[in-house]
Amino acid sequence: MPDMPPFLLERYFARYEFQARFLLSASDCESLTQREVLDLASPEALGLWENLALGYTESAGHPRLREAVAGLYRTIQPEDVLVAAPEEAILLAMLALLSPGDEVVVLEPAYQSLHEIARWIGCRVHAWRLAPESGGWALDLDGLKSLLSKKPRLLVVNFPNNPTGYLPARGEFAAILQMAERSGVTVFSDEMYRGLEYSPDQQLPAACDRIENCLSLSGMSKAYSLPGLRIGWLATRSRALLEKIRALKDYTTICSSAPSEILSIAALGAGEQILARNQRIIQDNLEAASACFARRADLFTWYPPRAGSVAFPAWNGAEDVGAFCQRMVAEQGVMVVPGSLFDGGDGHFRIGLGRRNFREALARFESALPK
Ligand SMILES: Cc1ncc(COP(=O)(O)O)c(C=O)c1O
């Protein structure tokens, strides 16, 4: 096997996340404390927590957790759910689905593992690019049609998208799934930011509720603001595929962390409340971001996100965007992630809208901009 290329975004975070005073680019929402989660827990979830034995757990996930997850979907049964850390789920799904020489189509810009693992396996990866256009991002459905004519093994999409905050209209998403279904390609739908729409009518159906030949990925890290739990899941009506992925989990974590599973059960029991809290934080921060980028339209092009907790403005200043981000963290202690860490994101940088100190971080950022 060739060496796995470094995960650029994760290396960047490893370097600065616990050093920089302000994280202006974090993709998750303000974390809840363990106390807050337990305060939200139902009596049943509290009982599970207090009587928890710290042994191995069921490999596919705690039955109550799979039940709670299934409740988030229309057609999914607990047996259609596999619990794993989100990043682990991406790795295991790619290993289960792909072989060297397979063609894979990936919506880009994207979170690196969504295309890198396929490339590492020896697949031919084709980027289906979101195009920047005035006032936002645009999908090229004709482009997808022509990529699907290559008969790829896998189509990878991520809506709401990291890093752009792009979300297609429901009709467009239906068209994507219909094209996928007709072509016979398997769909990997990364839905980690689902639940962070700016109005309820924007929410797309989960892909696994719409088509069978598909995996939906979600988890506690982003929309539920509990990344430290390391709990996510795959949902699919394709049970043979799910079992193949579960068998691979025997070689990674075997089972998920027992305390994390119970805290996830507790948090999902109050899921609506947590999502509403995070949506409020994002709306408030979005207002500040739009105003800042409008004030400095001489330096930035603002691409308003349509959903989720991240946005991907363009930097039009004199220095290279990488140098600009480097200067921000070195001189101001404000970590900003350059777009070069996402394939095809050159010239852009990511901002994260989910943290409570966003306004403070943004003020610091703005005060350090060239006059
Ligand atoms: C689109 C997307 N998918 C998956 C993940 C992985 O989630 P986790 O870090 O919780 O494993 C991330 C994390 O940033 C992400 O942005």
Side-chain angles (χ1 to χ4, degrees):
M1 285 293 239
D3 283 349
M4 188 88 122
F7 199 130
L8 301 176
L9 180 69
E10 298 302 340
R11 286 297 91 214
Y12 199 83
F13 267 83
R15 187 152 165 217
Y16 296 119
E17 184 172 8
F18 299 101
Q19 253 120 55
R21 175 133 181 256
F22 298 104
L23 300 182
L24 196 60
S25 286
S27 58
D28 51 348
C29 296
E30 185 78 20
S31 296
L32 294 165
T33 63
Q34 177 184 312
R35 185 70 266 152
E36 284 173 308
V37 174
L38 292 175
D39 285 347
L40 290 169
S42 67
E44 191 209 343
L46 265 188
L48 290 172
W49 179 250
E50 275 155 18
N51 298 303
L52 176 65
L54 295 174
Y56 286 107
T57 64
E58 290 189 35
S59 181
H62 192 294
R64 288 287 297 109
L65 177 55
R66 294 166 84 200
E67 219 175 281
V69 169
L72 302 172
Y73 300 92
R74 241 176 3 88
T75 61
I76 293 296
Q77 305 301 312
E79 299 73 31
D80 302 328
V81 173
L82 172 67
V83 176
E87 189 72 285
E88 177 188 18
I90 297 174
L91 176 69
L92 298 183
M94 300 291 165
L95 289 173
L97 280 162
L98 299 175
S99 308
D102 282 347
E103 311 267 340
V104 176
V105 175
V106 184
L107 180 78
E108 293 195 8
Y111 186 64
Q112 189 175 336
S113 52
L114 295 178
H115 52 82
E116 198 70 79
I117 296 169
R119 215 171 269 125
W120 173 68
I121 289 171
C123 303
R124 289 195 56 206
V125 176
H126 305 275
W128 175 38
R129 287 200 190 286
L130 278 173
E133 58 165 28
S134 66
W137 300 87
L139 275 184
D140 173 12
L141 288 179
D142 289 337
L144 177 62
K145 194 169 171 193
S146 104
L147 288 166
L148 290 180
S149 70
K150 296 179 196 297
K151 292 283 163 212
R153 172 77 188 91
L154 186 66
L155 167 65
V156 182
V157 293
N158 163 224
F159 303 123
N161 179 254
N162 174 17
T164 61
Y166 179 78
L167 183 74
R170 293 168 76 96
E172 284 174 309
F173 189 55
I176 294 169
L177 295 182
Q178 195 180 51
M179 282 159 74
E181 209 169 24
R182 282 206 190 119
S183 79
V185 71
T186 301
V187 177
F188 186 93
S189 178
D190 182 324
E191 299 165 5
M192 290 295 291
Y193 297 86
R194 187 164 175 263
L196 295 178
E197 294 76 17
Y198 304 159
S199 71
D201 56 314
Q202 276 187 307
Q203 187 167 91
L204 300 178
C208 62
D209 274 334
R210 283 298 163 98
I211 59 173
E212 242 168 74
N213 189 11
C214 147
L215 289 159
S216 284
L217 169 74
S218 191
M220 304 307 294
S221 305
K222 311 295 178 182
Y224 295 99
S225 49
L226 294 165
L229 295 184
R230 311 307 303 125
I231 292 286
W233 55 83
L234 291 166
T236 179
R237 285 178 278 157
S238 174
R239 290 210 182 152
L241 173 59
L242 200 67
E243 176 45 31
K244 198 168 170 200
I245 300 170
R246 199 219 49 75
L248 289 173
K249 190 181 169 190
D250 290 340
Y251 286 98
T252 51
T253 52
I254 303 174
C255 65
S256 303
S257 148
S260 291
E261 287 192 317
I262 305 304
L263 291 170
S264 299
I265 293 168
L268 287 179
E272 294 294 323
Q273 212 176 317
I274 296 174
L275 295 179
R277 161 205 187 259
N278 293 337
Q279 287 158 2
R280 280 194 299 275
I281 296 176
I282 291 170
Q283 279 316 310
D284 185 51
N285 291 338
L286 198 47
E287 218 173 87
S290 317
C292 167
F293 293 120
R295 274 193 299 276
R296 294 312 310 264
D298 56 322
L299 289 177
F300 303 103
T301 310
W302 174 230
Y303 294 88
R306 290 196 193 170
S309 49
V310 290
F312 208 43
W315 160 252
N316 305 321
E319 77 196 308
D320 163 77
V321 70
F324 166 65
C325 293
Q326 204 65 51
R327 195 165 54 74
M328 274 293 164
V329 71
E331 293 173 12
Q332 304 298 324
V334 180
M335 192 189 88
V336 191
V337 168
S340 53
L341 304 190
F342 300 87
D343 239 23
D346 288 353
H348 290 252
F349 59 99
R350 186 178 78 179
I351 58 164
L353 299 158
R355 298 292 179 94
R356 285 208 198 275
N357 68 348
F358 179 84
R359 281 176 181 262
E360 204 188 336
L362 191 69
R364 182 82 173 240
F365 170 87
E366 192 173 1
S367 70
L369 294 174
K371 298 294 172 233

